[in-house]
Amino acid sequence: MVELSRDVGEIVLDVVVIGAGQAGLAAAYHLRRRGLVPGVDFVVLDSNDGPGGAWRHRWPSLTLGTAHGIHDLPGLALGTPDPTEPASSVVSRYYGTYEETFDLQVRRPVTVREVRDARPEEYTGTGIADRPPLVVVGDDEVWATRTIINATGTWTRPHWPYYPGRELFRGRQLHTHDFWSVEEFRGQHVVVVGGGASAVQFLLPLAEVATTTWATRRPPVFGERSFDREWGIDVERRVKERTRAGLPTLSVVEATGLDLTPAYQQGIDDGVLVSRGMFTRITETGVVFPTTGPDGEPGETEVAADAILWATGFRPAVDHLSPLRLREHAGAIATDGVHVPRDPRVFLAGYGAGASTIGATRSGRAAAVAAARAVEDAADPVRSATARSATVRDETPAPQR
């Protein structure tokens, strides 16, 4: 385990931002807006080899025109790139330009192994709220800080649900995290599992080179609702109800349904975007769906498969926060917006309602403001309270699709 050196222990940062995706970069931008200096008052750590966050890992066939919701970062618009260019290239270039424009000095690649309380022998001062500083432990370096903004997203935590027989299947099994090209499946039969946007984005191009079966636990919901301010407020309300209670996070698609675009409607008409329901078990050569006979008697039908593609989503990448004991009995971290009631030094951006392009930028801003205020309060509680009372509340619009 990497130990905190005496020299590092004498330098306590105000904020460490963990993650340089959309939420992390938005947080760093707003920290600068509040007068904090990158590399002096705060640092941004990123586990990737280069800019782009999770987008840099997306498959080449996911073009800018087919990707869902690439939103502008604060202070620098994306512009109008070629919609046929891979989204991974567009976003990586955009984020790289953003980091340079605002001199965010992102440190990479840094994998944060754990975040814990500083021990007395490492640092004798206090962080905020009469608590010790936090120690952020990387691969071979550590940082002491008063607060952290955790913006690690979900990409590194693919969710693989278990179904009986999964270990028996002799074909290929892969997750959204591992997908690269439909050409790998030419001439095969692919079972796509999951009812979200990724599953739909796989099924349509796969249908051009292979045959497919779509398996979902619930019937897919294609919505025709206008994605306006009211919709945005409704989405956030439903997702926040769970995160506030410390329940496992709900994906935005589960709360909103899928856009019924002309391409998706054509896929439905062609029989590609039609779910068969969920299989009950997996065999060596395929998956088994329940059936009902002419007399109502239950039965089974096996669908042979060469590959099973699990488009079953991701979970928050927060295991490095385990030493802080933030989880509730339900298994997740309870939040009040970006605040973690169990620890006033920790702010979560890109978590819960912010875990998508709909809310990531807004949660990054909120986390930056909250972290900066926490540090200001610790330095001069009376002056900070007076300053806040004189500040006009900033009304931020609900997310738009």
Side-chain angles (χ1 to χ4, degrees):
M1 177 177 171
V2 180
E3 294 295 333
L4 185 62
S5 70
R6 179 176 297 175
D7 290 342
V8 174
E10 294 172 355
I11 303 172
V12 180
L13 298 163
D14 287 333
V15 189
V16 169
V17 180
I18 308 174
Q22 182 182 348
L25 293 181
Y29 170 86
H30 285 289
L31 288 173
R32 286 210 62 173
R33 286 283 300 269
R34 294 186 68 89
L36 278 71
V37 180
V40 177
D41 301 313
F42 74 94
V43 297
V44 183
L45 310 178
D46 186 44
S47 62
N48 289 300
D49 293 328
W55 285 101
R56 67 184 284 109
H57 304 290
R58 300 300 175 91
W59 50 100
S61 60
L62 181 64
T63 62
L64 183 68
T66 57
H68 281 239
I70 297 177
H71 288 242
D72 288 344
L73 291 168
L76 182 67
L78 173 63
T80 54
D82 181 356
T84 65
E85 185 178 359
S88 58
S89 299
V90 173
V91 178
S92 294
R93 186 172 61 249
Y94 174 43
Y95 283 13
T97 300
Y98 192 86
E99 293 175 15
E100 293 177 5
T101 300
F102 297 106
D103 189 29
L104 298 181
Q105 301 182 30
V106 178
R107 303 282 296 273
R108 61 166 59 92
V110 176
T111 299
V112 173
R113 302 300 180 185
E114 67 173 9
V115 179
R116 59 174 173 80
D117 290 328
R119 296 188 285 266
E121 66 271 20
E122 294 172 329
Y123 190 83
T124 57
T126 59
I128 63 170
D130 296 323
R131 298 200 183 200
L134 292 165
V135 173
V136 179
V137 182
D139 299 302
D140 54 10
E141 193 172 359
V142 296
W143 294 264
T145 180
R146 294 180 176 86
T147 66
I148 65 165
I149 295 175
N150 193 79
T152 46
T154 62
W155 183 255
T156 58
R157 285 287 312 278
H159 174 57
W160 294 75
Y162 179 76
Y163 280 86
R166 195 180 73 182
E167 68 282 358
L168 303 175
F169 186 63
R170 295 201 301 254
R172 182 184 178 190
Q173 295 189 68
L174 70 161
H175 192 274
T176 300
H177 182 275
D178 311 301
F179 181 86
W180 192 247
S181 171
V182 296
E183 286 299 325
E184 301 174 22
F185 306 95
R186 182 171 288 277
Q188 300 182 9
H189 187 80
V190 183
V191 175
V192 178
V193 187
S198 293
V200 173
Q201 290 167 347
F202 292 143
L203 284 159
L204 292 179
L206 278 169
E208 299 177 4
V209 300
T211 55
T212 62
T213 297
W214 192 10
T216 64
R217 290 188 296 115
R218 294 182 294 272
V221 177
F222 291 90
E224 297 181 338
R225 175 177 177 176
S226 174
F227 297 105
D228 53 16
R229 178 184 174 86
E230 181 183 349
W231 168 86
I233 293 173
D234 187 40
V235 171
E236 290 201 347
R237 177 187 57 79
R238 282 185 279 176
V239 176
K240 285 180 177 178
E241 284 174 356
R242 294 182 62 84
T243 54
R244 187 175 294 114
L247 297 171
T249 54
L250 182 70
S251 74
V252 173
V253 166
E254 286 180 282
T256 66
L258 296 158
D259 296 352
L260 185 60
T261 66
Y264 289 0
Q265 182 62 64
Q266 187 62 54
I268 295 171
D269 295 342
D270 292 341
V272 175
L273 299 186
V274 176
S275 172
R276 185 159 178 168
M278 195 61 208
F279 50 79
T280 55
R281 58 190 176 92
I282 303 172
T283 68
E284 293 182 348
T285 56
V287 297
V288 177
F289 287 92
T291 59
T292 303
D295 298 329
E297 297 181 355
E300 293 183 331
T301 298
E302 180 172 352
V303 174
D306 299 290
I308 302 174
L309 175 51
W310 296 88
T312 45
F314 298 80
R315 297 294 183 263
V318 292
D319 287 351
H320 55 285
L321 302 180
S322 295
L324 300 178
R325 302 181 181 276
L326 303 177
R327 294 184 187 274
E328 303 294 331
H329 292 302
I333 300 175
T335 58
D336 181 6
V338 297
H339 297 263
V340 178
R342 281 184 177 266
D343 196 321
R345 302 166 298 176
V346 179
F347 304 92
L348 299 187
Y351 181 87
S356 72
T357 54
I358 295 172
T361 297
R362 297 176 70 234
S363 71
R365 175 190 179 279
V369 171
R373 284 179 174 173
V375 172
E376 292 166 4
D377 283 351
D380 190 340
V382 175
R383 185 181 65 181
S384 296
T386 301
R388 281 202 307 277
S389 67
T391 301
V392 177
R393 185 171 181 269
D394 184 9
E395 295 289 345
T396 305
Q400 302 293 314
R401 173 69 65 87

